[in-house]
Amino acid sequence: MPTEPILGGRVVVRYRLPPGSSHPLTDVIGTLEQLEPTVVVRTADDRVVEVDRADVVRLKALGPKPVRRAGTGSDDCRGG
């Protein structure tokens, strides 16, 4: 069960986008690298996202990344 976010842990950060953006909020999921003075998250594709603390709406710890297994797609449910 996820607990408090810790450095090096997997997190989701919901944050405010600048005025005039197409959406008011967005999320980033990745590894928490820094909490002060800004929140820094490294995504699975190795992108670094830096967010001002004042723009963070929610910071939540996540469990480990789910493992994708071959043969678990919706095409496997066809039966027959």
Side-chain angles (χ1 to χ4, degrees), residues 44-67:
D45 62 358
D46 214 31
R47 233 176 1 110
V48 174
V49 178
E50 186 172 356
V51 181
D52 286 333
R53 296 249 343 150
D55 292 330
V56 173
V57 175
R58 177 98 164 117
L59 174 61
K60 180 180 175 184
L62 298 176
K65 185 176 179 180
V67 176

Side-chain angles (χ1 to χ4, degrees), residues 13-35:
V13 179
R14 175 160 289 174
Y15 61 96
R16 289 181 198 84
L17 292 172
S21 297
S22 60
H23 302 296
L25 301 171
T26 193
D27 298 333
V28 61
I29 295 175
T31 302
L32 182 61
E33 294 195 340
Q34 177 179 301
L35 280 169

